[in-house]
Amino acid sequence: MNNRLLLHPQNPAFQYEWTEQNVTTTFFKCTQWEVQETTDLINCPYHYFCDSFYPGNYSPIIDFLVLIFAAVSYMITISFTLLETRGGNLGFIPSQSKRRYWIPSGPISLPLTLLALAKGQRINTIFPLSNVGPALLQLVYVSALAFEYTLDKSIKYVIFEVSIVSGVLHASLYLDSIILPYYTGLEALVFSTFSGLCVSCVCRRKALVVGGNLITYRGWSGTMFCVVATLCSRLIYRFSGEDNRRVLLMKYLLEGFSWVLIATDCVYLMVKSPEGELLVMTVFGSILLLVCIHLLKKMHRVFASLNGVCCKRKRDKLTTCEIGAV
């Protein structure tokens, strides 16, 4: 649709009385922007309008159910993390074989997360996924990294790990289908001027790009690839033998880098989110807290391991001295 238009931004041909909510919905939910030719190369070198139809938000009940699901998934994750940190092998902690069904990356919660993200474009009232959707993906990241299974090398374990990798890849794509239209519309709304020819008709100095330039976060990103690489390295290490130090080192490096990237994404989204400050700060602050708790747990284990090595060396040294004295 490349119609040649003569634009007059200062004297628009039509006047629209749209509420702010209608305007923002039109921009943030637009999935297809069309560019039109213009003769006003000085004031309006690029003229865009939204060429897609938004069917409307789901009922707030759907948002509420997704909110409850996200809250329960978070509470399960942080509860297992805290119980492991404090209790070690306490009897009331579910075994690994049972725990995998409860966590967000498990075979029950992960499909529900994928369903929510796949339909997330219309979840936009109580729990708008255009703003807080990345938290669901990050919760899956944390769950997949935090709870590593070391029970067996059976085909069930391989299928389970591969399903998590597949779920992470699909969740990232579904999330981008939600946030990229939102970021594109935000770019069009902030750095454009209304031409007045329609509610979404805008004039721009620069071409509009998918995702815009205001927020650089993406679901299909380096964080996602690092998490997937970590999960794959666990499979390789499990079946290559525990004496393979190179694979073990690669696994630890990838996992550590993944945690850093997830924490960085949380801080970035807390700072750069354009609206819903209280909700966004709460959601991503909660994910960041979960990351910090797990990192502290990892540091505690490392220090405990180093302390055990030091104690063993002291005992060996004392034993050697006693044998020499005899």
Side-chain angles (χ1 to χ4, degrees), residues 28-324:
F28 293 159
K29 299 300 179 180
C30 182
T31 57
Q32 183 176 353
W33 289 91
E34 289 287 343
V35 61
Q36 293 178 317
E37 293 183 1
T38 172
T39 58
D40 192 349
L41 300 179
I42 297 177
N43 296 316
C44 190
Y46 297 96
H47 184 260
Y48 288 91
F49 73 97
C50 179
D51 193 27
S52 64
F53 173 74
Y54 178 58
N57 300 333
Y58 284 131
S59 168
I61 297 177
I62 303 298
D63 288 63
F64 181 72
L65 292 176
V66 175
L67 173 61
I68 294 298
F69 168 73
V72 171
S73 298
Y74 178 82
M75 294 304 299
I76 289 174
T77 305
I78 198 170
S79 297
F80 285 163
T81 302
L82 290 175
L83 289 174
E84 281 191 347
T85 303
R86 297 184 57 187
N89 294 321
L90 291 178
F92 53 83
I93 300 179
S95 62
Q96 288 188 2
S97 59
K98 295 180 180 180
R99 187 177 59 195
R100 70 177 66 183
Y101 295 101
W102 293 89
I103 59 177
S105 59
I108 297 177
S109 295
L110 185 55
L112 294 177
T113 301
L114 293 177
L115 178 62
L117 292 176
K119 304 296 183 180
Q121 183 73 3
R122 299 178 62 185
I123 300 176
N124 193 47
T125 53
I126 300 175
F127 196 65
L129 293 188
S130 56
N131 284 328
V132 298
L136 286 178
L137 180 62
Q138 290 169 348
L139 191 58
V140 174
Y141 289 163
V142 171
S143 173
L145 293 175
F147 305 110
E148 180 180 2
Y149 304 110
T150 59
L151 293 179
D152 52 48
K153 299 180 181 179
S154 65
I155 189 64
K156 291 182 179 181
Y157 167 77
V158 176
I159 294 174
F160 183 75
E161 290 293 328
V162 170
S163 66
I164 296 178
V165 172
S166 176
V168 169
L169 294 174
H170 281 84
S172 301
L173 288 175
Y174 291 150
L175 178 63
D176 278 343
S177 69
I178 301 172
I179 63 175
L180 289 184
Y182 175 76
Y183 294 159
T184 305
L186 182 65
E187 174 85 12
L189 193 60
V190 173
F191 292 112
S192 307
T193 57
F194 290 98
S195 67
L197 297 179
C198 66
V199 66
S200 63
C201 292
V202 292
C203 293
R204 291 181 53 82
R205 297 288 184 180
K206 297 180 180 180
L208 186 64
V209 296
V210 176
N213 297 310
L214 280 175
I215 302 177
T216 59
Y217 177 83
R218 302 289 185 268
W220 194 268
S221 62
T223 305
M224 183 272 294
F225 283 109
C226 197
V227 172
V228 168
T230 301
L231 298 177
C232 293
S233 68
R234 288 178 177 177
L235 274 173
I236 296 173
Y237 175 71
R238 183 69 59 83
F239 290 94
S240 64
E242 297 182 357
D243 56 342
N244 195 330
R245 295 184 178 180
R246 291 183 179 180
V247 178
L248 179 62
L249 178 60
M250 179 183 67
K251 182 172 78 77
Y252 283 149
L253 289 176
L254 287 171
E255 183 175 349
F257 195 44
S258 297
W259 285 114
V260 172
L261 289 177
I262 295 172
T264 302
D265 287 343
C266 288
V267 174
Y268 177 81
L269 290 169
M270 289 172 66
V271 174
K272 297 291 290 186
S273 181
E275 61 178 337
E277 292 185 2
L278 180 59
L279 177 62
V280 169
M281 293 290 288
T282 302
V283 170
F284 293 107
S286 300
I287 300 295
L288 186 60
L289 174 63
L290 185 58
V291 172
C292 292
I293 292 175
H294 183 75
L295 291 179
L296 289 175
K297 183 184 73 174
K298 283 285 187 181
M299 292 175 61
H300 174 73
R301 288 181 177 178
V302 170
F303 287 133
S305 178
L306 291 176
N307 185 47
V309 171
C310 292
C311 292
K312 182 179 179 182
R313 288 181 178 178
K314 289 181 179 179
R315 288 195 300 268
D316 293 343
K317 186 176 181 179
L318 289 174
T319 304
T320 303
C321 291
E322 290 176 356
I323 293 175

